[in-house]
Amino acid sequence: MVKDLQKYAAERGIKYFMVSYTDLFGGQRAKLVPAQAINDMAVDGAGFAGFATWLDLTPAHPDMMAVPDASSVIQLPWKKEVAWLASNCVMEGAPVAQAPRNVLRKLVDEAAKEGLRVKTGVEPEFFLLTPEGDKIADPYDNAEKPCYDQQAMMRQYDVIAEVCDYMLELGWEAYQNDHEDATGQYEMNWKYDDALQTADKHSFFKFMMKSVAEKHGLRCTFMPKPFKGLTGSGCHAHISVWSLDGSENAFADSSKELGLSDRGRTFLGGIMKHASALAAICNPTVNSYKRINAPRTSSGATWAPNTVTWTGNNRTHMVRVPGPGRFELRLPDGAANPYLLQAIIIAAGLDGIRSKADPGKRHDIDMYTQGHTITDAPKLPLNLLDALREYDKDSTLKAMMGEEFSAAYMKLKHKEWDSFVSHFSRWEHDNTLDI
Ligand code: ADP
Ligand code: MG
Ligand code: MG
Ligand code: MG
Ligand code: MG
């Protein structure tokens, strides 16, 4: 664990530290601090005008300090003279309650109080586009079923392999890369970790992927549904809960249904119970709702859920249990804030454990063709406004995420929705002009 950042810089030839925090909309904000000055900021942090980012602060608020977490430091593999530091937001000596990394840290502590250690892995999907962002970068990538396309994958080898090499160098235990189900779409996988570490890695992965793509003259996007008719970008989360020392997977019990222990089952029950509200965080943009509940894509399937259901090893449901001792939440998309995503999983799961929530009956059907036969499961929200309203109604989840966070998030996201609906669209003109 790194303690003295100035010494760390001297040993590694680091000239600048990027003191970085994540705001409520998932934006990463940073100051570049010369290594000579870093020890002065290690305790008190680097100063920011919080209002200038999405944190629901006013211009009159005192300086917000981003206090670096030295244990999160990563030397940029593509620019070795710079190192990134995930930071915690503090104002006048107290944590800024609504700042996403603080929300997550609080929930990690809550879980620890009950002897639980949540470990998760995320699978961020992304598209490689031309720099303008309107076209798939590889003009030859146009198959009807492009998933795992070996030839197309190799045409983007330089970008994918460069990032995978970096993950290996960083010790993330990267293990596979593939061309995904949409043309121009890819996924890279590394090993699961504690929720806070996964959130830091997820954030850094997005930064790294975009930076390396830009270096190669491309644009990388995690937008949930950048192209109509093509499969969207999910960010599935695989979840398990361990004993505090990490030695025992508390979700594993081979004597139980699908190898999921009673605790795993009630955690899953919490996810099912709060699913509609979860969408406000897992699917946080207007565009997110073009990925879930979507019509069939040109490849034949959206691979995204439409209803609150769970199953065994079957990818057409919101939750899949791929094997014993863990489950996969397929709801989140590429726009999910890495910290809030982990936080909401823990919040819903903890409530599930505390309230002994029952996930209900599992359905082993193809949801894309037989979904209409299920009448007892809620549909996922159809748009961002519905999701925000579901979140607002869920007082337990709101309290677990923190009242200050929930109020700030609701306020900013409702404003975003208002901005969307007040935008005059071509569709309105085309469909209303001759009314
Ligand atoms: P798939 O595409 O089949 O859903 P991937 O291999 O792309 O799966 O991603 C699986 C993710 O789940 C990886 O991040 C992996 O490390 C993680 N994972 C595997 N086992 C566990 C576990 N017990 N707890 C949490 N995450 C896990
Ligand atoms: Mg200034
Ligand atoms: Mg995957
Ligand atoms: Mg995938
Ligand atoms: Mg998956």
Side-chain angles (χ1 to χ4, degrees):
M1 179 122 102
V2 179
K3 290 225 173 71
D4 184 338
L5 287 169
Q6 212 159 318
K7 190 159 152 259
Y8 175 84
E11 282 162 7
R12 296 187 169 224
I14 289 162
K15 286 163 62 181
Y16 289 92
F17 285 94
M18 187 172 253
V19 178
S20 173
Y21 73 90
T22 296
D23 69 19
L24 286 166
F25 285 0
Q28 293 187 46
R29 312 286 182 158
K31 274 192 174 174
L32 265 183
V33 176
Q36 289 85 339
I38 195 68
N39 276 2
D40 293 340
M41 300 199 184
V43 178
D44 295 334
F48 290 80
F51 171 73
T53 71
W54 298 113
L55 283 170
D56 191 32
L57 294 169
T58 71
H61 270 99
D63 268 10
M64 192 188 74
M65 309 305 289
V67 181
D69 178 345
S71 71
S72 71
V73 71
I74 301 178
Q75 184 172 17
L76 308 192
W78 68 97
K79 189 105 188 148
K80 300 254 182 203
E81 63 193 56
V82 180
W84 179 88
L85 283 162
S87 309
N88 300 318
C89 298
V90 172
M91 191 177 287
E92 295 189 318
V96 176
Q98 68 271 35
R101 200 170 190 270
N102 290 340
V103 173
L104 174 57
R105 288 192 307 141
K106 208 157 156 250
L107 280 153
V108 168
D109 289 347
E110 284 262 321
K113 274 191 228 144
E114 303 197 13
L116 306 172
R117 183 165 164 187
V118 180
K119 295 191 180 222
T120 62
V122 288
E123 311 173 51
E125 292 171 337
F126 57 88
F127 282 76
L128 291 176
L129 307 178
T130 57
E132 299 73 28
D134 56 351
K135 276 193 281 304
I136 286 154
D138 176 0
Y140 307 113
D141 185 359
N142 47 26
E144 183 185 337
K145 281 191 184 286
C147 209
Y148 317 121
D149 189 319
Q150 169 174 305
Q151 210 67 37
M153 176 78 173
M154 285 309 285
R155 285 196 295 269
Q156 296 297 12
Y157 175 83
D158 289 349
V159 182
I160 302 291
E162 183 173 337
V163 172
C164 189
D165 285 349
Y166 293 156
M167 288 199 278
L168 292 167
E169 180 185 324
L170 294 173
W172 289 13
E173 300 183 59
Y175 62 89
Q176 64 183 6
N177 311 289
D178 75 338
H179 191 297
E180 277 291 318
D181 193 56
T183 50
Q185 191 188 36
Y186 308 84
E187 179 180 316
M188 307 182 64
N189 300 115
W190 68 91
K191 193 181 171 186
Y192 66 94
D193 203 342
D194 286 291
L196 183 64
Q197 275 65 46
T198 287
D200 284 342
K201 286 177 183 173
H202 183 186
S203 304
F204 189 81
F205 175 77
K206 291 181 79 170
F207 170 45
M208 172 158 66
M209 203 55 241
K210 289 179 189 178
S211 304
V212 173
E214 281 172 20
K215 206 181 89 176
H216 288 266
L218 306 175
R219 179 126 168 212
C220 171
T221 182
F222 295 85
M223 182 173 173
K225 189 84 165 182
F227 298 103
K228 189 179 170 185
L230 294 184
T231 296
S233 287
C235 183
H236 307 157
H238 289 247
I239 303 153
S240 56
V241 169
W242 298 68
S243 55
L244 284 183
D245 65 1
S247 65
E248 189 210 338
N249 181 350
F251 272 15
D253 184 345
S254 55
S255 71
K256 294 286 158 70
E257 183 181 358
L258 299 176
L260 203 57
S261 69
D262 288 341
R263 208 179 282 173
R265 197 178 164 90
T266 51
F267 193 104
L268 171 59
I271 297 280
M272 300 295 287
K273 175 168 137 189
H274 296 288
S276 298
L278 238 65
I281 304 285
C282 292
N283 313 94
T285 62
V286 169
N287 179 256
S288 295
Y289 296 83
K290 292 188 168 69
R291 169 182 165 266
I292 56 175
N293 301 306
R296 224 162 72 106
T297 60
S298 57
S299 71
T302 61
W303 302 110
N306 45 41
T307 310
V308 183
T309 56
W310 71 287
T311 186
N313 198 352
N314 166 346
R315 295 172 193 262
T316 64
H317 292 254
M318 188 188 81
V319 172
R320 172 175 77 115
V321 182
R326 68 170 148 142
F327 66 81
E328 176 189 36
L329 178 63
R330 300 177 59 82
L331 182 62
D333 64 43
N337 181 313
Y339 297 95
L340 299 180
L341 170 58
Q342 300 299 324
I344 200 97
I345 288 170
I346 299 176
L350 264 188
D351 179 55
I353 289 178
R354 286 174 187 163
S355 64
K356 300 198 169 39
D358 179 0
K361 189 164 121 348
R362 73 171 212 261
H363 292 283
D364 293 336
I365 59 169
D366 177 346
M367 278 305 285
Y368 299 147
T369 56
Q370 296 166 277
H372 60 277
T373 62
I374 295 183
T375 49
D376 57 347
K379 286 283 289 175
L380 284 164
L382 294 176
N383 57 47
L384 181 61
L385 180 62
D386 282 355
L388 296 179
R389 286 176 171 157
E390 291 289 344
Y391 185 91
D392 220 11
K393 275 197 300 203
D394 194 332
S395 49
T396 309
L397 201 62
K398 275 203 300 192
M400 290 198 68
M401 291 292 283
E403 299 296 354
E404 280 143 306
F405 159 77
S406 295
Y409 190 75
M410 282 296 107
K411 182 171 152 195
L412 294 186
K413 279 286 161 186
H414 273 288
K415 267 195 180 165
E416 189 181 10
W417 176 261
D418 291 345
S419 150
F420 167 66
V421 290
S422 62
H423 167 77
F424 277 75
S425 67
R426 184 72 221 175
W427 183 95
E428 261 170 274
H429 191 267
D430 291 349
N431 288 276
T432 328
L433 187 66
D434 296 323
I435 212 117

